[in-house]
Amino acid sequence: MNRRDFLSLTAAVSLVPALARAGAMEYAPGLVTKALENGEIVFLDFKASWCSTCAAQERVINALKAENPAYDEAITFIDVDWDKHGKSELAKSLKIPRRSTLVVLKGDEELGRIVAGTSKADIQALMDTALNAASA
């Protein structure tokens, strides 16, 4: 590998944590446990690509993140594809009833959840709960 390729690769790899923080990560088994063990506040979005309620929630979440960058800085957002992981151990352990469920976790504690709600005020309250937990 030549020096230019090495430097490009090194620069790209160094951006991965910042890029992961800037948006939601896709769920993979073990990701939530690892984030919680690292002391992170986790915001789970159980969603499906075909779900109109999920899309409405996503629009609200993105608008709130745009209004307040502190959300992305302090909270780990993880998207959980309902079609792939709706019957996973994670979904079972949290008793997730359906797609369009939003859950905030800290350590081994659930701080709040919304099921099928799209109200900006409700979603903001959940995100504020996560933000406050991050600064506590």
Side-chain angles (χ1 to χ4, degrees):
M1 176 180 288
N2 68 37
R3 185 172 189 267
R4 179 176 289 159
D5 291 342
F6 174 77
L7 291 174
S8 296
L9 179 61
T10 303
V13 168
S14 70
L15 290 175
V16 170
L19 292 174
R21 208 39 143 169
M25 292 184 272
E26 290 297 318
Y27 171 76
L31 180 62
V32 174
T33 303
K34 183 174 181 171
L36 293 171
E37 287 173 352
N38 288 337
E40 298 172 36
I41 305 302
V42 175
F43 187 103
L44 297 172
D45 184 351
F46 290 85
K47 63 194 330 179
S49 60
W50 47 267
C51 171
S52 60
T53 303
C54 303
Q57 287 176 328
E58 183 174 20
R59 286 190 296 275
V60 171
I61 291 166
N62 289 338
L64 290 167
K65 286 177 172 183
E67 290 172 15
N68 186 354
Y71 290 131
D72 261 332
E73 293 166 9
I75 303 165
T76 300
F77 290 87
I78 300 175
D79 289 343
V80 183
D81 184 322
W82 183 255
D83 292 329
K84 292 181 188 173
H85 304 289
K87 296 186 188 298
S88 67
E89 286 305 312
L90 175 68
K92 289 177 188 173
S93 69
L94 293 173
K95 298 181 175 127
I96 303 301
R98 57 173 287 168
R99 68 198 181 286
S100 69
T101 299
L102 308 173
V103 179
V104 172
L105 303 171
K106 179 180 182 178
D108 60 357
E109 184 180 356
E110 181 177 315
L111 302 181
R113 79 169 53 197
I114 295 172
V115 178
T118 59
S119 158
K120 181 177 180 180
D122 290 346
I123 293 173
Q124 183 172 10
L126 184 64
M127 290 173 69
D128 285 345
T129 295
L131 191 57
N132 292 334
S135 61

